Amino acid sequence: MTRFFTEPQNISNKIIRLNADDTRHIRTLRLRPDEQFVVCDGNGTDYICQLGERDDHTVAEIKEQRKSIGEPSVKCRIFVAYQKGDRLDLATQKSVELGVHEIILFESERCIAVPNDIPKKIARLQRIAFETAKLCNRGIIPNVSAIGKFENAVDEAANSSDLTLFFYEAEEQLYIKDILEKHFSSSDTDGGVSTISIITGPEGGFEPHEVGIARSRNIPIVSLGPRILRSETAPPVALTTIMYQSGNL
């Protein structure tokens, strides 16, 4: 079914007031009065709706309410270094498809390009997250933000999650599968972990002293395997592994 998002304050008395963009979309789709569509409140609740009686298509009548099925049981935050070109566009799109909860940008030493206008970059990625969430049955619109320098990202990741993973291409001892198996099993899929932060680097990878900073915060340094992944590939690969191991894929 076609999916829209709305603010919770637009929902009252079995009626949802649609915004101008959604109204135009509905006209474009030429939805019939008996056709159903979904309006999500952005907090994980879906409303199965039909068009209301008004001719301008600005009102949806709620027929059923249910929990969004597209939200994973584990909330994953990605801390991703700035990348050149449209690589962050792809990383954002695929991460939202795979169930990321939040995307946080930061600057590390080997970043090739840091946007001159960071708010504009964030706005672009937030729009990508919004459009992807609509298409992928998500119950929330993952937030995109920036946190400044590398140290800020590491500190925030270390202090905000049950489990934090720092991905480094030169790590040869600890693999993501090894550490996830310690926290998740077939008989206990939540493993006592409800929030996970992952940190991935730019095109040139992390500097050794940045890895040392992560170690000093007691963050596990983890490998994604023997192959070197592109910077835009690492976040969705890490997410896919987490979703699979936690029973969300």
Side-chain angles (χ1 to χ4, degrees):
M1 285 187 284
T2 304
R3 190 174 193 82
F4 302 96
F5 281 94
T6 192
E7 298 292 334
Q9 59 265 28
N10 295 328
I11 305 171
S12 63
N13 299 322
K14 297 292 183 179
I15 293 294
I16 300 177
R17 299 195 177 278
L18 302 171
N19 63 35
D21 287 343
D22 292 340
T23 299
R24 283 192 293 270
H25 192 187
I26 284 173
R27 288 199 186 101
T28 301
L29 294 172
R30 298 185 178 183
L31 290 179
R32 298 188 305 271
D34 62 336
E35 286 186 271
Q36 292 188 336
F37 54 94
V38 177
V39 181
C40 181
D41 64 0
N43 293 319
T45 300
D46 287 348
Y47 298 88
I48 312 304
C49 300
Q50 290 178 332
L51 290 175
E53 296 295 331
R54 295 178 59 172
D55 293 333
D56 59 3
H57 294 171
T58 61
V59 173
E61 292 183 356
I62 299 172
K63 300 300 181 180
E64 181 185 348
Q65 175 181 335
R66 65 192 184 195
K67 184 178 179 181
S68 302
I69 62 173
E71 289 310 301
S73 60
V74 176
K75 292 181 179 179
C76 289
R77 306 172 81 198
I78 289 182
F79 292 79
V80 56
Y82 289 110
Q83 302 166 19
K84 67 179 181 180
D86 60 358
R87 292 183 177 185
L88 280 176
D89 294 5
L90 180 61
T92 297
Q93 181 189 66
K94 298 309 175 186
S95 295
V96 173
E97 286 183 37
L98 288 162
V100 73
H101 187 77
E102 186 178 4
I103 298 171
I104 302 157
L105 310 178
F106 67 91
E107 181 180 356
S108 67
E109 201 160 313
R110 291 185 182 176
C111 284
I112 295 174
V114 177
N116 293 325
D117 190 342
I118 291 177
K120 183 178 179 180
K121 184 67 171 180
I122 291 173
R124 174 180 171 80
L125 296 177
Q126 188 66 69
R127 185 67 185 178
I128 291 172
F130 172 70
E131 295 296 342
T132 306
K134 287 173 64 177
L135 293 172
C136 296
N137 214 29
R138 293 296 304 270
I140 67 165
I141 303 168
N143 187 58
V144 182
S145 63
I147 200 169
K149 299 293 185 179
F150 172 84
E151 289 83 354
N152 303 118
V154 169
D155 288 339
E156 173 64 20
N159 295 325
S160 62
S161 302
D162 299 327
L163 175 65
T164 301
L165 304 175
F166 185 98
F167 292 101
Y168 182 44
E169 68 277 6
E171 172 59 34
E172 297 179 346
Q173 300 297 321
L174 183 61
Y175 287 82
I176 184 172
K177 183 174 181 288
D178 300 328
I179 196 164
L180 290 178
E181 285 181 344
K182 294 179 180 179
H183 293 277
F184 300 99
S185 68
S186 58
S187 61
D188 183 16
T189 53
D190 67 14
V193 174
S194 61
T195 56
I196 298 177
S197 287
I198 65 178
I199 305 172
T200 65
E203 293 90 340
F206 288 113
E207 287 283 355
H209 76 86
E210 291 177 321
V211 181
I213 292 173
R215 289 190 194 278
S216 71
R217 273 50 166 195
N218 296 316
I219 298 175
I221 311 302
V222 184
S223 170
L224 280 169
R227 291 162 297 281
I228 301 297
L229 302 180
R230 292 169 63 97
S231 57
E232 70 271 28
T233 306
V237 167
L239 271 172
T240 300
T241 307
I242 291 169
M243 293 300 161
Y244 176 78
Q245 196 68 41
S246 62
N248 287 288
L249 194 65

